[in-house]
């Protein structure tokens, strides 16, 4: 457990403050005056908590430590679901085949942070615990009550979100609300999932009462009242789901419904018209985004290389991740049907007349992009592994990811990328949360109404869902798959619904396209990787290194524990 405690032990000299001064990307209200307070390499504990600007910087640093789905590799949780493939990533293949190893969690190690950005959820928890132990100190210039309440609300929301994520990934975890000293006993047991979640809801309710509804543009990225409510909505939905609510207690579903409806009733958020550009930096302040993490690509530690990572090789990108054909198959036709159920669907022209979100999400062979068509066909496609530009970076599934990438970026490089923010929560999810909760409450009319609101976004405008019963639930499942794709919902959804067996057992597929001499193309859906359900994989294992350090820390069921 010492790995956790390196985040939870508070030193007298707060060495982390050398990092606090580079939080420019978060726009959390810090200004150049912060740089002129004391020597910029470190601050004493007393200096930090005596100065409001440094406290704001400390809060800014807490935001920076929250893991997001945008990374240099853009692997995240999508690569270990049925959404996406990462090139030559045998570790991710092994995870999908049911072989999660407590000794090698890599990109899903949100416990110790042994992933590509060294992030975990104990870091923001540590920052918030330090904050609460120091915010009530006496200082020469007191912080006004409104500002102090806002700070407390932000940090409670951050702590609640971090514990919610840990509980969703690992189940019950040790519940720390204070920092540790060297005299403390570092061996502790895990709290139950229910105990952690009750703490999460209590923290969020307190935060909601303290937070403002909006901030000015200079403070975008802070948690608002609506953001804390959105965290609560998702947490309540997960808490009510079958994995965590085996009896399907309707009172929990009512709480999930109420949490989502409270956001809808605010009247503050709405669906953004254009699904394609909603996620891009030019629309960072659009009314659908409830809580976002801004990035500054001009600061080296902030770069996430979206376009460089996603673009096809023929456009000078690295093409690091590739959507699976399984996902492509789940995009409906414009008739509102699955391709195999639509008599108008033509397998010889598989990308015609599909849900508009397909074209906003995935670059397929023949897709128009930057003045030419994407070419993943054989032989000789510009974006295939026979192309003239870095052929080793070509897709392995026949597809590239478009969502989050900004087409205006030409020839992406370290200095030529967009500043795509990461959406922690958006209004489209809230509408789907409300639809799902009402389905399980037996209110199918409401479920269909709010499901169809998402589908009626002007740039999407898909046919209304009219199904009922189990068929309606299947439409809710697929709508979340499509609407929220690559936003790190799928990992949790297939587990909380307990459909992991049927999803994980499906083999992963790709598309092979051959161009004939007469210019016509042949399409072959081909096997890519084996899938295998492992019942242990409803939860992540705790890293074995942590188990070895703490004899009281119990491993999750189904994972081998070294003697």
């Amino acid at each position: 457990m010492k790995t956790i405690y390196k985040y939870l032990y508070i030193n007298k000299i707060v060495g982390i403050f050398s990092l606090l001064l580079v939080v420019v990307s978060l726009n959390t209200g810090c200004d150049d005056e912060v740089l002129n307070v004391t020597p910029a390499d470190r601050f004493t504990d007393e200096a930090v908590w005596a100065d409001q600007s440094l406290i704001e910087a400390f809060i800014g640093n807490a935001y920076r430590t929250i893991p997001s789905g945008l990374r240099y590799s853009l692997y995240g949780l999508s690569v270990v679901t049925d959404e996406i493939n990462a090139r030559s990533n045998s570790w991710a293949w092994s995870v999908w085949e049911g072989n999660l190893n407590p000794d090698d969690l890599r990109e899903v190690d949100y416990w110790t942070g042994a992933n590509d950005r060294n992030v975990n959820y104990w870091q923001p928890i540590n920052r918030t615990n330090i904050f609460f132990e120091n915010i009530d100190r006496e200082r020469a210039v007191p912080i006004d009550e409104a500002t102090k309440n806002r700070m407390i609300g932000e940090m409670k929301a951050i702590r609640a979100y971090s514990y919610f994520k840990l509980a969703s990934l690992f189940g019950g975890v040790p519940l720390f609300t204070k920092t540790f000293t060297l005299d403390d006993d570092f061996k502790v047991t895990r709290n139950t999932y229910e105990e952690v979640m009750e703490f999460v809801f209590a923290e969020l309710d307190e935060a909601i009462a303290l937070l403002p509804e909006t901030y000015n543009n200079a403070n975008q990225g802070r948690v608002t009242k609506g953001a804390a409510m959105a965290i609560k909505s998702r947490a309540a939905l997960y808490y009510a789901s079958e994995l965590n609510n085996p009896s399907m207690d309707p009172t929990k579903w009512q709480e999930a419904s109420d949490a989502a409806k409270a956001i809808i009733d605010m009247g503050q958020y709405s669906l953004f018209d254009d699904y394609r550009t909603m996620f891009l930096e030019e629309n960072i302040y659009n009314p659908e985004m409830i809580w976002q993490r801004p990035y500054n690509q001009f600061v080296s530690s902030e770069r996430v290389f979206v376009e460089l990572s996603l673009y096809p090789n023929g456009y000078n990108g690295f093409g690091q991740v590739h959507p699976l054909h399984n996902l492509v198959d789940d995009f409906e036709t414009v008739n509102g049907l699955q391709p195999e159920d639509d008599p108008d669907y033509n397998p010889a022209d598989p990308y015609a007349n599909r849900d508009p979100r397909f074209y906003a999400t995935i670059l397929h062979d023949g897709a128009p992009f930057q003045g030419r068509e994407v070419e993943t066909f054989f032989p000789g496609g510009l974006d295939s592994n026979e192309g003239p530009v870095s052929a080793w970076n070509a897709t392995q599934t026949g597809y590239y990811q478009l969502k989050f990438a900004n087409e205006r970026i030409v020839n992406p490089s370290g200095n030529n990328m967009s500043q795509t923010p990461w959406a922690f929560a958006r209004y489209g999810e809230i509408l789907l949360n409300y639809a799902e909760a009402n389905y399980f409450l037996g209110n199918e009319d409401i479920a269909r109404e709010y499901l169809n609101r998402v589908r009626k976004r002007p740039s999407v405008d898909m046919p209304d869902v009219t199904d009922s019963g189990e068929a309606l639930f299947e439409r809710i499942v697929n709508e979340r798959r499509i609407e929220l794709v690559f936003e790190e919902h799928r990992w949790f959804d297939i587990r909380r619904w307990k459909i992991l067996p049927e999803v994980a057992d499906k083999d992963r597929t790709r598309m092979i396209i051959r161009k004939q001499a007469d210019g016509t193309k042949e399409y072959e859906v081909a096997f890519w990787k084996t899938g295998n359900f492992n019942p242990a994989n409803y939860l992540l294992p705790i890293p074995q290194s942590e188990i070895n350090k703490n004899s009281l820390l119990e491993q999750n069921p189904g994972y081998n524990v070294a003697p």
Side-chain angles (χ1 to χ4, degrees):
M1 283 290 283
K2 286 185 180 178
T3 303
I4 292 180
Y5 293 101
K6 75 180 180 182
Y7 303 118
L8 299 177
Y9 173 68
I10 181 170
N11 296 300
K12 293 298 181 182
I13 302 297
V14 189
I16 61 171
F17 287 99
S18 60
L19 296 175
L20 296 179
L21 304 179
V22 294
V23 293
V24 294
S25 69
L26 266 174
N27 295 320
T28 53
C30 309
D31 56 35
D32 292 341
E33 290 304 310
V34 177
L35 301 175
N36 300 320
V37 179
T38 63
D41 61 339
R42 63 184 179 273
F43 294 94
T44 66
D45 186 44
E46 289 75 16
V48 169
W49 300 107
D51 188 286
Q52 181 174 331
S53 294
L54 288 179
I55 296 172
E56 295 281 19
F58 181 88
I59 295 171
N61 184 258
Y63 279 102
R64 291 183 71 248
T65 63
I66 302 171
S68 88
L70 287 185
R71 311 179 190 173
Y72 169 63
S73 63
L74 279 96
Y75 288 177
L77 292 174
S78 288
V79 79
V80 286
T81 67
D82 56 346
E83 289 186 335
I84 210 160
N85 164 75
R87 180 183 301 102
S88 302
N89 192 323
S90 59
W91 167 83
W93 299 339
S94 176
V95 170
W96 188 251
E97 292 166 355
N99 298 319
L100 262 172
N101 185 345
D103 286 318
D104 186 20
L105 295 183
R106 299 196 198 181
E107 299 312 310
V108 295
D109 187 354
Y110 293 104
W111 190 290
T112 70
N115 47 56
D116 73 338
R117 288 186 79 85
N118 299 313
V119 292
N120 64 63
Y121 288 103
W122 295 112
Q123 294 173 357
I125 288 170
N126 176 53
R127 303 301 196 272
T128 57
N129 288 343
I130 293 173
F131 169 86
F132 287 117
E133 290 177 359
N134 289 277
I135 189 58
D136 287 326
R137 285 191 185 191
E138 292 186 9
R139 47 186 63 87
V141 180
I143 301 173
D144 69 85
E145 184 177 2
T147 300
K148 183 178 176 182
N149 284 341
R150 184 262 299 165
M151 291 177 171
I152 292 171
E154 287 181 86
M155 296 302 260
K156 280 187 173 290
I158 291 172
R159 185 163 65 178
Y161 177 76
S162 300
Y163 268 119
F164 164 55
K165 294 293 284 189
L166 283 171
S168 300
L169 290 163
F170 297 98
V173 297
L175 193 56
F176 302 111
T177 57
K178 67 180 184 67
T179 56
F180 281 73
T181 70
L182 291 177
D183 295 328
D184 288 322
D185 182 3
F186 284 0
K187 291 187 176 182
V188 295
T189 59
R190 300 169 64 174
N191 289 77
T192 66
Y193 173 81
E194 290 74 19
E195 288 171 338
V196 175
M197 292 303 293
E198 290 305 314
F199 174 78
V200 166
F201 291 127
E203 288 282 277
L204 289 172
D205 285 341
E206 292 181 31
I208 290 166
L210 295 172
L211 288 165
E213 292 191 3
T214 60
Y215 295 105
N216 58 27
N217 286 352
N219 286 282
Q220 294 298 319
R222 290 186 184 275
V223 177
T224 60
K225 184 185 296 291
M229 293 168 70
I231 299 168
K232 182 178 178 180
S233 172
R234 190 184 304 172
L237 191 78
Y238 287 18
Y239 197 43
S241 299
E242 185 178 358
L243 179 65
N244 305 309
N245 180 24
S247 68
M248 297 296 276
D249 179 357
T251 62
K252 291 185 177 180
W253 283 111
Q254 187 62 55
E255 290 168 356
S257 174
D258 292 345
K261 190 60 160 58
I263 301 171
I264 296 168
D265 288 345
M266 291 176 73
Q268 184 174 331
Y269 305 103
S270 60
L271 293 171
F272 188 66
D273 285 354
D274 187 4
Y275 184 87
R276 167 73 184 101
T277 64
M278 169 172 59
F279 305 95
L280 306 183
E281 62 180 289
E282 54 261 38
N283 292 316
I284 191 171
Y285 304 133
N286 78 70
E288 182 158 347
M289 294 303 172
I290 299 176
W291 181 29
Q292 295 183 98
R293 201 299 195 186
Y295 283 93
N296 187 338
Q297 302 291 4
F298 301 103
V299 177
S300 60
S301 62
E302 289 285 294
R303 292 176 180 169
V304 288
F305 301 93
V306 174
E307 288 76 27
L308 188 61
S309 294
L310 296 184
Y311 274 14
N313 56 306
Y315 297 84
N316 295 298
F318 291 167
Q320 291 182 309
V321 291
H322 324 125
L324 298 170
H325 184 74
N326 309 66
L327 172 62
V328 172
D329 252 357
D330 282 340
F331 280 89
E332 298 172 8
T333 68
V334 292
N335 295 325
L337 301 171
Q338 292 296 312
E340 65 269 22
D341 298 328
D342 190 342
D344 294 336
Y345 174 72
N346 181 5
D349 191 11
Y351 310 128
N353 301 317
R354 303 295 288 271
D355 182 330
R357 288 171 294 190
F358 170 67
Y359 308 110
T361 301
I362 293 174
L363 286 174
H364 60 87
D365 182 83
F369 189 69
Q370 293 189 346
R372 70 169 175 86
E373 291 186 354
V374 174
E375 298 179 349
T376 65
F377 60 77
F378 301 97
L382 294 177
D383 309 301
S384 73
N385 61 19
E386 297 177 349
V389 180
S390 58
W392 55 89
N393 283 333
T395 175
Q396 295 176 312
T397 66
Y399 304 103
Y400 295 92
Q401 179 179 329
L402 177 60
K403 189 173 179 177
F404 307 137
N406 197 324
E407 189 173 353
R408 68 176 177 78
I409 301 297
V410 178
N411 294 322
S413 66
N415 295 315
N416 183 28
M417 291 174 294
S418 68
Q419 300 192 70
T420 299
W422 174 255
F424 284 117
R426 62 183 179 89
Y427 191 59
E429 178 203 345
I430 302 305
L431 297 180
L432 293 176
N433 292 355
Y434 189 58
E436 181 182 339
N438 276 277
Y439 170 80
F440 284 109
L441 288 170
N443 304 324
E444 291 195 356
D445 287 348
I446 296 176
R448 282 188 291 268
E449 175 188 351
Y450 282 84
L451 189 65
N452 289 329
R453 285 193 188 187
V454 176
R455 295 168 64 85
K456 286 301 183 184
R457 185 195 309 270
S459 62
V460 176
D461 196 23
M462 288 290 287
D464 282 347
V465 168
T466 59
D467 303 80
S468 60
E470 183 63 26
L472 176 56
F473 175 65
E474 291 176 2
R475 299 299 292 266
I476 291 170
V477 168
N478 201 65
E479 191 65 24
R480 287 184 69 94
R481 175 154 167 72
I482 299 306
E483 173 70 20
L484 305 176
V485 67
F486 307 145
E487 296 177 50
E488 296 202 320
H489 291 273
R490 183 71 170 172
W491 168 280
F492 302 104
D493 284 350
I494 61 179
R495 285 163 171 78
R496 65 184 181 82
W497 290 323
K498 298 202 74 173
I499 64 171
L500 182 61
E502 61 192 77
V503 173
D505 269 344
K506 288 182 180 178
D507 290 337
R508 292 183 284 180
T509 56
R510 59 177 174 159
M511 178 67 86
I512 297 174
I513 305 171
R514 298 178 181 88
K515 190 171 184 179
Q516 307 303 307
D518 62 1
T520 61
K521 294 177 181 178
E522 293 182 352
Y523 299 86
E524 177 191 357
V525 178
F527 167 82
W528 176 233
K529 295 293 176 183
T530 300
N532 181 53
F533 167 65
N534 182 338
N537 294 165
Y538 277 105
L539 295 173
L540 289 176
I542 295 172
Q544 191 60 43
S545 59
E546 297 293 291
I547 300 291
N548 295 342
K549 293 170 185 174
N550 180 5
S551 59
L552 299 182
L553 195 62
E554 184 178 351
Q555 182 59 277
N556 278 326
Y559 296 102
N560 294 327
V561 179

